[in-house]
Structures are given as structure tokens and as C-alpha cells.
Amino acid sequence: MDPASQDINLNSPNKGLVADNSDSLSDVPVEGAVGNAANPLPPGLTEEEAEELRTELTKVEEEINTLRQVLSAKERHATELKRKLGLSPLNELKQNLTKSWQDVQTSNAYKKTQETLSQAGQKTSAALTTVGTVISKRLGDMRALPFSNSFSNYSIRHSISMPAMRNSATFKSFEDKVGNLKVGL
């Protein structure tokens, strides 16, 4: 049997049979074909109608195979053109990602999120600036308090003064400002 004359369509009921329509093969039952002993004709369908449908099905399958071959040839041609133009799959991916990122950046959701995060960043920056200012001021106030200038004069009395410092007006004011700042964020 010549392989070129065989029906290679895997969906064809004539799969593997010689494609010429000689009378010698017309009497050979094809497995899965409509109208043979295993599969009787559906009610209301004559043998002639079934044969017409089989012929039409064969033509449609041949057209599908032809279209697949044409599509495959066009895809190869497109690939060759892209190669000649220097367009590699990696370049195409980069272009697709760039375009997608631009689409995201122009979306309303992205713009709203960017705006909200920008405002939150500005408020956080302002809050941290305020905290830094308050801490600097309080440290300056603490330097102004009478305190021994030398560590050799350091006494146990200074280390015990922490509870007393917590109850001082300066510390309470600092606590209130930090607390207000925390609530404001």
C-alpha cells in the first residue's frame, strides 16, 4: 500500500484505508461508520442520506486538514519573518510586559491606589518629623536641667530618678503627643 494514498486523518472513519474510491473498497465495512451492523442507521435516515453525510464528513475533514497545513505554513513563515526582523520571543515578551505595565498604570484602580499611598506617605513623613522635633526639644530641655557634668560624680540617686522622671510634666507631655500622633495615623 502506498502511504501517500492512505487516509491519515485520525478522526476519519476510513483511517488507514486507501483514499481512492474504487468499488473494491465500497463493500468493506468500516468500524464506527454509520449504518453497519454494529451501529444501525438512526431512525428516519436512509442509506442514501447516510452515505451523503459520510461523503460530506470526509470532505469537511479534508478541508480541516488542509486548513491545518496552511496555518502551519503561515506560522512558519511568520516565525521566519520575525527572525529576519530580529524579533525574538524574548523581545516579544518584553514588549508584551511593557504594554501590560503601561495598561496597568493607566487604569483607574492603579491611579487611586497610587494616590492613597502617596497621601499615607506624606502623613507618615509629617508624623515622623513631628516626633523627631518633639524628641529633639525634650532632649534639649533635659540638657538644660541641672545635671552633673562628670560621670565620676554619678550617684545611685540618678539611676533611681527614672520613676520620678516618668511622673514629670515633660515626660507626660511627650507621652500625650506620641499617643495623639499614634491615634492620628
Side-chain angles (χ1 to χ4, degrees):
M1 229 190 257
D2 181 19
S5 66
Q6 285 187 345
D7 185 355
I8 59 170
N9 181 356
L10 298 178
N11 297 321
S12 172
N14 301 322
K15 175 175 44 181
L17 296 178
V18 176
D20 73 339
N21 293 327
S22 66
D23 290 334
S24 63
L25 291 178
S26 63
D27 296 335
V28 177
V30 178
E31 186 178 332
V34 177
N36 65 17
N39 291 326
L41 290 173
L45 191 64
T46 65
E47 185 64 38
E48 293 82 31
E49 292 171 332
E51 189 60 37
E52 286 178 26
L53 291 175
R54 279 189 222 110
T55 304
E56 186 178 348
L57 177 61
T58 302
K59 287 179 183 177
V60 169
E61 288 175 342
E62 288 173 1
E63 289 175 12
I64 290 171
N65 283 334
T66 302
L67 291 172
R68 283 185 182 142
Q69 291 170 358
V70 169
L71 177 61
S72 177
K74 289 199 179 275
E75 286 175 339
R76 283 192 303 272
H77 184 66
T79 301
E80 182 65 22
L81 292 174
K82 287 178 184 178
R83 186 188 62 76
K84 287 179 180 178
L85 289 171
L87 301 175
S88 69
L90 182 60
N91 287 340
E92 287 184 51
L93 179 63
K94 286 178 185 177
Q95 289 173 352
N96 289 342
L97 288 175
T98 301
K99 183 173 180 349
S100 296
W101 178 243
Q102 288 172 349
D103 291 346
V104 166
Q105 287 180 321
T106 58
S107 71
N108 288 333
Y110 180 84
K111 288 178 180 176
K112 287 180 182 177
T113 303
Q114 184 181 25
E115 197 174 294
T116 303
L117 290 176
S118 176
Q119 290 173 358
Q122 290 171 355
K123 289 180 181 180
T124 302
S125 177
L128 291 175
T129 301
T130 302
V131 168
T133 303
V134 169
I135 290 172
S136 295
K137 184 178 180 213
R138 297 303 175 203
L139 287 174
D141 291 348
M142 289 174 68
R143 284 189 196 135
L145 293 175
F147 192 72
S148 172
N149 289 337
S150 118
F151 286 109
S152 60
N153 294 335
Y154 184 79
S155 70
I156 208 152
R157 205 178 43 203
H158 291 118
S159 63
I160 299 175
S161 67
M162 188 61 174
M165 187 168 70
R166 282 193 180 150
N167 293 326
S168 72
T170 302
F171 194 82
K172 292 258 184 222
S173 173
F174 178 73
E175 265 186 335
D176 290 340
K177 287 191 179 187
V178 170
N180 291 339
L181 190 76
K182 185 173 143 185
V183 170
L185 288 177

